[in-house]
Amino acid sequence: MSQPTAAMLVIGDEILSGRTRDANAHLLAQKMTGIGIRLVEIRVVPDVRETIVAAVRELSARVTYLFTSGGIGPTHDDITADAVAEAFGAAIGVRDDARAILESYYKPGELNEARLRMARIPDGARLIDNPLSHAPGFVIGNCHVMAGVPAIFAVMLEGILPGLAGGPPILSHSFRVMMPEGELAGPLGTVAAAHPQVSIGCYPFFRLTAGATLILRGTDPEALARAADDMRAMLAARTDHIEETPPGAVTENAE
Amino acid sequence: MSQPTAAMLVIGDEILSGRTRDANAHLLAQKMTGIGIRLVEIRVVPDVRETIVAAVRELSARVTYLFTSGGIGPTHDDITADAVAEAFGAAIGVRDDARAILESYYKPGELNEARLRMARIPDGARLIDNPLSHAPGFVIGNCHVMAGVPAIFAVMLEGILPGLAGGPPILSHSFRVMMPEGELAGPLGTVAAAHPQVSIGCYPFFRLTAGATLILRGTDPEALARAADDMRAMLAARTDHIEETPPGAVTENAE
């Protein structure tokens, strides 16, 4: 079974200007890893129609699933829906199903022309539910168009996850040692070369003394366990202080 | 004076797997805005040589300055220096100036083969100083290759900023109002259309009641002030509660 792939397209001047620190790509990355989909690229682009169209075309052709965040609100700079429609050669207009959702949410008279823009959905697209603020996202082709506001992005993503075809979950096994990575690098390369099925990364950190976390990733539990055995032996010959995190545990890196 | 542009290439499986949340692109975005350089793309790619080579070639051809972070340490997955050299068609090997820096830092016997990989610098590249852990970054063509560890990336970036040719600083003036963006969107579009020199974004947030922050950006202080006057008048006709942040102030968005 080959592993499905994904790309994330973050749309918004506010990320590129440094005003806002994007949170959506990191959440997507964690969720994709959890269901065995390999995220192969994150790209952040400005609110420029040609740029969005080109990025959607290029990325959607290259991956199993494309996800976008941002640019689907009611204001003049919200151009994602139109750009994605153009990328897929689809017509776009206010759609009855999306309008009905907005009508049921807003009080009479509140659904003005600007808000009605949020019911612009490309022909043939499937709506993505938004239990928080109701304006829907949509799926066209392999492209999942979601909101930029992190809480809304998160709730839309939770809604679509069960419908994605994941691969074997990506398991992870990590070791944390208080040794500089420069002293581990040689024997680490040997362990990595002996286990081509497992992706092994080394992420140094700095405390009062130097340390490193070694992460082993793969989809085959037995290959992963064998690589972890070799790694443990290699490390034990060099240090007494090893913290080991077997598959399944989630860690947050603040380093 | 036309505005210089920049792109950021973040290199590392750990970002795409969700293990690590990238901090370097956000810092770069803020610094670029501060010196009048327009960041036009952020891209995150895995530790795959062909992918890095292709991204460096494409992005460096498109912008004034390209910045990379990650993949210049001593371990088997640190392949950025070799990939960047290939992208620029430059030879690469352990260079005497970089080796001398490492020799002055490590104790005799500590500078092993793996650590010496950090002295692999493309021919013709200029070194970037690393006061924290000494292994240098480098500049080749318009591409600035820096470390992935945030503290080291930050100190390298501080070192190169004075040498970059910035444009007129991007000024920002913002208004924060407790109104839903859907009610502002129509008149906001009118203000935006009247001030094409100024980039105007609307970033909604949700509290007990709905609010929105309007950001006006541009390089011409007078055009920005005129747009702010129009915006203030438009808002004052609709709400009594306006928080205004004139150019120069830095705000953090936690919404």
Side-chain angles (χ1 to χ4, degrees), chain A residues 119-143:
Chain A
R120 290 177 65 78
I121 304 287
D123 285 1
R126 191 172 80 240
L127 299 185
I128 297 177
D129 193 32
N130 170 4
L132 262 187
S133 62
H134 300 265
F138 61 84
V139 187
I140 183 168
N142 65 348
C143 180

Side-chain angles (χ1 to χ4, degrees), chain A:
Chain A
M1 175 175 182
S2 86
Q3 198 178 24
T5 56
M8 170 79 174
L9 182 64
V10 177
I11 297 161
D13 290 350
E14 70 278 19
I15 312 291
L16 293 168
S17 75
R19 176 182 181 273
T20 302
R21 184 177 174 196
D22 172 61
N24 298 330
H26 181 57
L27 177 70
L28 183 84
Q30 294 182 310
K31 296 292 183 185
M32 291 300 105
T33 296
I35 60 175
I37 294 176
R38 191 160 48 88
L39 182 62
V40 297
E41 183 169 326
I42 300 165
R43 196 182 289 194
V44 185
V45 297
D47 300 311
V48 173
R49 182 160 171 153
E50 315 82 87
T51 307
I52 301 170
V53 171
V56 167
R57 283 188 177 145
E58 183 198 330
L59 293 172
S60 71
R62 211 161 13 101
V63 295
T64 317
Y65 299 112
L66 173 62
F67 303 89
T68 78
S69 80
I72 62 168
T75 63
H76 63 283
D77 53 345
D78 288 307
I79 57 174
T80 296
D82 287 75
V84 171
E86 182 181 336
F88 283 91
I92 182 168
V94 170
R95 229 170 65 174
D96 290 346
D97 51 352
R99 179 206 286 261
I101 291 170
L102 296 177
E103 278 171 348
S104 70
Y105 175 60
Y106 288 104
K107 297 196 189 82
E110 277 187 357
L111 187 55
N112 56 26
E113 196 184 340
R115 283 181 171 137
L116 209 49
R117 289 193 65 214
M118 297 189 289
R120 290 177 65 78
I121 304 287
D123 285 1
R126 191 172 80 240
L127 299 185
I128 297 177
D129 193 32
N130 170 4
L132 262 187
S133 62
H134 300 265
F138 61 84
V139 187
I140 183 168
N142 65 348
C143 180
H144 299 69
V145 175
M146 294 181 280
V149 174
I152 305 176
F153 179 84
V155 77
M156 287 182 166
L157 183 58
E158 281 305 318
I160 61 172
L161 280 180
L164 303 177
I170 298 159
L171 310 172
S172 164
H173 192 127
S174 70
F175 295 86
R176 186 182 162 102
V177 292
M178 295 310 291
M179 289 178 66
E181 65 168 350
E183 285 176 22
L184 283 172
L188 192 59
T190 307
V191 173
H195 298 278
Q197 278 183 282
V198 175
S199 146
I200 298 183
C202 180
Y203 307 106
F205 58 84
F206 303 93
R207 291 288 178 274
L208 283 178
T209 179
T213 300
L214 298 319
I215 312 252
L216 293 70
R217 287 196 194 86
T219 56
D220 179 340
E222 290 173 13
L224 189 62
R226 286 194 300 272
D229 288 344
D230 271 13
M231 182 70 79
R232 191 181 306 107
M234 183 280 277
L235 294 173
R238 288 169 174 80
T239 173
D240 289 335
H241 303 279
I242 306 174
E243 289 174 39
E244 192 170 338
T245 310
V250 172
T251 58
E252 183 69 31
N253 176 34
E255 286 137 18

Side-chain angles (χ1 to χ4, degrees), chain A residues 16 41-46 51 55 58 62, chain B residues 5-11 28 38-45 51-69 84 87-88 140-144:
Chain A
L16 293 168
E41 183 169 326
I42 300 165
R43 196 182 289 194
V44 185
V45 297
T51 307
E58 183 198 330
R62 211 161 13 101
Chain B
T5 56
M8 170 79 174
L9 181 63
V10 178
I11 298 160
L28 184 84
R38 190 160 49 88
L39 183 62
V40 297
E41 182 169 327
I42 299 166
R43 195 181 290 193
V44 185
V45 297
T51 307
I52 301 170
V53 171
V56 167
R57 283 188 177 144
E58 183 197 331
L59 294 172
S60 70
R62 214 164 10 101
V63 295
T64 317
Y65 299 111
L66 173 61
F67 302 89
T68 78
S69 80
V84 170
F88 282 91
I140 183 167
N142 65 349
C143 179
H144 300 66

Side-chain angles (χ1 to χ4, degrees), chain B residues 119-155:
Chain B
R120 289 177 66 80
I121 304 288
D123 285 0
R126 195 172 77 240
L127 299 185
I128 296 177
D129 193 32
N130 171 4
L132 262 188
S133 62
H134 300 265
F138 62 84
V139 187
I140 183 167
N142 65 349
C143 179
H144 300 66
V145 175
M146 293 180 282
V149 174
I152 305 178
F153 179 84
V155 77

